[in-house]
């Protein structure tokens, strides 16, 4: 208890002081002197003001990252030294896990159970996983067939200065997914956190300095997408942009990056189908469908927002989902009793409410939820919401809502469901629930998605690739796949004659 209190005090201390951003190893205000507020979505209260970085600050950060890459000690460090720094950083985050979890919950709204059990430990393990890779990034020797005697081998070299733009749904975890592989491969970084949730990235910056990463290896610029984000995307001295967020912004990033042919990796939205066959173990499939949509208030790129249930078990699944949805205890994420917190912002609240309205107008049947609970009128809370619909062309069946809103829809057989499930511009993830092993694999092979979960949902692992088909993205994060995003391959020829 005492310890919990003292952590709360540290968090209050962090929130109470003037927030600065990290550029070239220095904590600085924006060149313009401007700041913007970040709010607690459970109450609407301002938590802190952070620097409103724009093109001038991004330019300083890119220069610092370039210097650190070309001149600093970073490029002379051995892989083992880079690895040790990443392990140290993981240990430091772990030591201060409760503080990170509380700060994340206050800034983002997610329940403390989720930030303490998923976001922060996931961050720690992600840094550890890529700390291990730093010493294992190898090239190949290639048996070339040209006449004569040659040694041909490849090297994997850092791409260079990497701009990283992240969303607000898993703020610290997304920072880790970006920074860890980039540093393992020897790049330098300019990170722009989401305007809604900049705080844990700033605390992470402190620890990055504390464990001894050389100045300028990681720079953190807080600011808005249209200014700081766009400046990073358009900067001629940035070699690569790694982005997670909406497909709409992802498209702008590809265009902006074209100027100097930046490498681009994109992890974008989804409208993932979660498919329940009648022979599934419903005692697992129903909770799987519920968790698939309500985890993190539905603000998950892989959210199973289209639940397809084969006729025969449809009514059973729907009534169980509705009963559960009505029983969820909404409240501030910082209260350990809360089972679901608020959405991240007023803007997101309005966006989700707009989709609920569209669903009603277009004729989907609203079975429960659809409003803000009366007793939580200050925060951006939306009740768990279940629609039933049969047409795949409704707006709520096609667009990413990014809230606790699910559409349940019936299907006839494999052929029917594969067609419906793939009838989307997205292709991030999908779930399949069945006890028939042939049906499970056949369906998994036919779905156009970067990840298919059979009899489970929302599982990720640092070793397993993550990314999207179609307009859900380009490239794969996690596992050895992430090394491809952060290295250039060089082919070296040596004439042996
Ligand atoms: P977003 O606009 O795509 O934001 C993601 C990141 O990109 C933020 O850091 C954002 O900055 C930045 N950004 C915005 N416009 C930019 C630009 N023109 N150039 C460079 N960077 C830019 O997402 P959002 O507005 O926060 O949320 C909108 C929708 O996106 C959600 O409803 C959801 O559908 C989707 N989304 C998907 C994911 C995912 O994991 N796939 C995550 C978040 C959101 P600001 O912080 O200033 O906006
Ligand atoms: Mg935005």
């Amino acid at each position: 208890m005492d310890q919990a209190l003292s952590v709360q005090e540290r968090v209050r201390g962090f929130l109470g002081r003037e927030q600065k951003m990290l550029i070239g190893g220095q904590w600085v205000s924006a060149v313009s002197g401007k700041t913007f507020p970040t709010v607690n979505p459970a109450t609407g209260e301002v938590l802190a003001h952070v620097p409103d970085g724009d093109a001038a600050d991004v330019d300083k950060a890119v220069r610092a990252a370039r210097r650190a890459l070309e001149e600093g000690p970073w490029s002379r460090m051995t892989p083992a030294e880079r690895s040790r720094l990443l392990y140290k950083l993981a240990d430091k985050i772990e030591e201060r896990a409760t503080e990170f979890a509380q700060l994340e919950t206050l800034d983002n709204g997610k329940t403390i159970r989720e930030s303490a059990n998923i976001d922060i430990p996931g961050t720690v393990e992600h840094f550890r996983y890529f700390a291990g890779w730093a010493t294992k990034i190898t090239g190949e020797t290639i048996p070339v067939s040209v006449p004569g005697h040659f040694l041909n081998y490849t090297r994997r070299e850092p791409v260079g200065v990497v701009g990283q733009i992240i969303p607000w749904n898993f703020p610290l975890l997304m920072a880790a997914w970006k920074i860890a592989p980039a540093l393992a491969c020897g790049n330098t970084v300019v990170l722009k956190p989401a305007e809604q949730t900049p705080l844990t990235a700033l605390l992470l910056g402190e620890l990055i300095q504390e464990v001894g990463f050389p100045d300028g290896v990681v720079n953190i610029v807080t600011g808005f997408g249209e200014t700081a984000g766009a400046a990073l995307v358009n900067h001629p001295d940035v070699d690569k942009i790694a982005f997670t967020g909406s497909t709409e912004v992802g498209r702008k990033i590809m265009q902006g990056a074209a100027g100097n042919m930046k490498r681009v990796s994109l992890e974008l939205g989804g409208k993932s189908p979660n498919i329940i066959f009648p022979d599934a173990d419903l005692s697992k499939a129903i909770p799987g469908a519920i968790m698939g949509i309500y985890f993190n208030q539905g603000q998950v790129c892989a959210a199973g927002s289209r639940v397809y249930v084969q006729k025969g078990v449809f009514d059973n699944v729907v009534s169980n989902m509705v009963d559960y949805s009505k029983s969820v205890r909404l409240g501030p994420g910082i209260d350990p009793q809360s089972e679901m917190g608020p959405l991240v912002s007023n803007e997101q609240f309005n966006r989700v409410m707009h989709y609920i309205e569209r669903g009603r107008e277009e004729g989907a049947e609203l079975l429960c939820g659809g409003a803000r609970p009366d007793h939580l009128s200050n925060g951006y809370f939306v009740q768990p919401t279940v629609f039933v619909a049969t047409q795949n062309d409704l707006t709520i069946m096609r667009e990413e809502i990014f809230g606790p809103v699910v559409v349940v829809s019936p299907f006839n057989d494999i052929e029917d469901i594969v067609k419906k499930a793939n009838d989307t511009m997205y292709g991030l993830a999908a779930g399949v629930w069945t006890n028939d092993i042939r049906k499970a694999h056949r369906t998994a092979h036919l779905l156009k998605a970067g990840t298919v979960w059979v009899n489970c949902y929302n599982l990720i692992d640092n070793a397993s690739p993550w990314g999207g088909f179609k307009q859900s993205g380009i490239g794969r994060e996690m596992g050895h796949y992430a090394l491809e995003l952060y290295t250039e391959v060089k082919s070296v020829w040596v004439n042996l004659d």
Side-chain angles (χ1 to χ4, degrees), residues 165-168 192 194-195 224-225 229 243 245-246 268 301 348 400:
I165 300 175
I166 56 173
W168 41 257
K192 192 206 84 69
E195 76 197 45
F224 292 93
F243 171 78
S246 61
L268 308 175
C301 49
Q348 191 63 16
E400 185 175 45

Side-chain angles (χ1 to χ4, degrees), residues 168 195-196 225-226 249 347 351:
W168 41 257
E195 76 197 45
Q196 298 85 348
E226 293 74 12
V249 173
E347 187 189 358
R351 185 197 300 261

Side-chain angles (χ1 to χ4, degrees), residues 31-101:
V31 171
S32 69
K34 286 191 203 152
T35 64
F36 66 93
T38 180
V39 304
N40 178 349
T43 61
E45 285 160 4
V46 173
L47 286 168
H49 290 86
V50 300
D52 183 358
D54 61 20
D57 306 281
V58 164
D59 187 56
K60 275 172 62 185
V62 171
R63 284 169 199 270
R66 176 61 61 190
R67 267 198 310 279
L69 183 79
E70 312 276 348
E71 300 161 25
W74 181 241
S75 57
R76 294 189 297 274
M77 277 189 187
T78 63
E81 285 169 318
R82 287 206 306 274
S83 171
R84 271 200 295 278
L85 282 173
L86 286 164
Y87 276 121
K88 266 200 201 167
L89 179 59
D91 291 345
K92 275 275 169 214
I93 299 167
E94 195 168 47
E95 272 171 34
R96 294 173 67 174
T98 311
E99 193 180 342
F100 270 108

Side-chain angles (χ1 to χ4, degrees), residues 99-278:
E99 193 180 342
F100 270 108
Q102 291 177 352
L103 198 56
E104 199 74 306
T105 284
L106 289 172
D107 206 12
N108 166 281
K110 65 177 66 203
T111 62
I112 191 74
R113 202 180 313 168
E114 285 182 11
S115 46
N117 294 324
I118 295 170
D119 295 66
I120 314 305
T123 298
V124 170
E125 287 311 317
H126 201 75
F127 277 109
R128 288 201 177 120
Y129 177 81
F130 280 102
W133 267 118
T135 51
K136 297 162 196 74
I137 301 168
T138 58
E140 297 173 306
T141 54
I142 314 279
V144 290
S145 300
V146 295
H149 297 91
F150 293 93
L151 167 65
N152 179 252
Y153 63 92
T154 60
R155 287 165 50 79
R156 284 202 169 266
E157 299 183 356
V159 176
V161 172
V162 181
Q164 305 186 314
I165 300 175
I166 56 173
W168 41 257
N169 53 346
F170 295 89
L172 185 69
L173 189 62
M174 289 301 106
W177 281 27
K178 294 286 176 279
I179 293 175
L183 298 187
C185 295
N187 301 278
T188 59
V189 165
V190 178
L191 177 82
K192 192 206 84 69
E195 76 197 45
Q196 298 85 348
T197 54
L199 296 176
T200 48
L202 294 177
L203 185 56
L204 176 68
E206 267 181 39
L207 302 194
I208 285 172
Q209 290 302 105
E210 207 176 304
V211 301
F213 281 95
D215 292 349
V217 169
V218 176
N219 306 274
I220 301 172
V221 177
T222 49
F224 292 93
E226 293 74 12
T227 48
L232 199 50
V233 171
N234 290 303
H235 200 292
D237 205 30
V238 171
D239 300 299
K240 173 192 165 69
I241 293 285
F243 171 78
T244 297
S246 61
T247 293
E248 186 191 342
V249 173
R251 209 167 276 126
K252 287 188 197 164
I253 286 180
M254 283 188 84
Q255 284 160 356
N260 66 330
M261 217 57 85
K262 289 181 186 68
R263 280 74 186 117
V264 173
S265 50
L266 304 171
E267 205 270 90
L268 308 175
K271 191 74 194 173
S272 299
N274 203 353
I275 301 164
I276 303 179
F277 288 102

